[in-house]
Amino acid sequence: MAILKILQYPDVRLHKVAKKVETVTEQTRKLIRDMAETMYAAPGVGLAATQVDVHEQIIVADVSDAHDQLLVLINPEILTRDGEEESEEGCLSVPGIYETVKRAEKISVRALNEQGETFTLEAEGFLAVCIQHEVDHLHGKVFVEYLSQLKQTRIRNKLKKQQRERM
Ligand code: GNR
Ligand code: NI
């Protein structure tokens, strides 16, 4: 297993649109294991392949307290969205920034599992927020894009400064 490098905003590669996985192979499963290890180590509750510079539609998530409920979503499609809720979000690609975002309260999502089998999942609460956040990453969208231009500019400048100071 391996810990992968997570791209940091503002990085143009975070805006690439991920392609569908044609066939779930042993290589896909290896990437998923590395993504899970990277997510748990960070620590985070979700990770999209886009964040590790792999532009394929793969998400891992685990919102359980015991970190024993790994959810893998390949080629996820949000089928239905119901209600609205606001919650504070953070992102491993935007370290140290926490902002309120409005999302659907309940969703249903169809995806493939690690065996390449189709399943559907109903999610609400934090899991629903997390899945919507990850699906956005696959579409090249980072949560800060829901904020005002002023906030986005401030966040971009703050992170660029942090990145300069780390060099
Ligand atoms: O670890 C994460 N926490 C989180 C908190 C609120 C809303 C979304 C998230 S996802 C984030 C990990 C991440 O960046 N996934 O892309
Ligand atoms: Ni994120």
Side-chain angles (χ1 to χ4, degrees):
M1 298 230 281
I3 306 263
L4 308 171
K5 189 176 162 271
I6 298 176
L7 298 178
Q8 297 221 338
Y9 184 84
D11 185 311
V12 292
R13 293 170 290 181
L14 285 170
H15 304 299
K16 286 200 190 181
V17 176
K19 294 201 166 70
K20 275 205 156 50
V21 174
E22 295 269 353
T23 338
V24 179
T25 62
E26 201 45 55
Q27 194 178 314
T28 317
R29 286 186 280 269
K30 183 187 184 312
L31 171 64
I32 288 166
R33 287 194 296 274
D34 289 344
M35 284 175 60
E37 191 183 16
T38 304
M39 172 185 75
Y40 287 124
V45 296
L47 190 72
T50 306
Q51 292 176 277
V52 295
D53 203 19
V54 175
H55 303 281
E56 293 179 34
Q57 295 180 18
I58 303 171
I59 288 169
V60 294
D62 189 342
V63 299
S64 71
D65 290 332
H67 296 163
D68 60 356
Q69 293 190 38
L70 181 67
L71 178 65
V72 175
L73 300 173
I74 301 168
N75 300 345
E77 282 181 82
I78 297 179
L79 303 174
T80 63
R81 294 178 170 82
D82 286 289
E84 281 185 348
E85 79 181 327
E86 287 194 327
S87 65
E88 184 144 289
E89 298 195 15
C91 181
L92 295 171
S93 295
V94 195
I97 306 291
Y98 301 89
E99 294 283 351
T100 301
V101 176
K102 192 194 286 177
R103 305 258 189 202
E105 184 181 3
K106 282 189 183 183
I107 58 168
S108 66
V109 56
R110 182 172 59 206
L112 303 179
N113 65 18
E114 287 180 84
Q115 311 313 321
E117 301 155 343
T118 302
F119 68 101
T120 57
L121 174 78
E122 308 274 318
E124 56 182 75
F126 189 44
L127 180 60
V129 170
C130 184
I131 292 171
Q132 291 172 81
H133 175 117
E134 303 313 334
V135 169
D136 273 352
H137 275 303
L138 298 180
H139 296 152
K141 186 160 182 173
V142 179
F143 85 104
V144 298
E145 291 171 56
Y146 290 103
L147 308 175
S148 68
Q149 282 300 334
L150 176 64
K151 278 194 175 177
Q152 287 183 51
T153 303
R154 285 180 177 159
I155 291 167
R156 197 176 297 121
N157 289 334
K158 185 173 173 181
L159 288 173
K160 278 196 224 159
K161 181 162 178 278
Q162 279 175 12
Q163 286 160 22
R164 278 199 305 275
E165 285 166 1
R166 265 190 274 107
M167 299 230 278

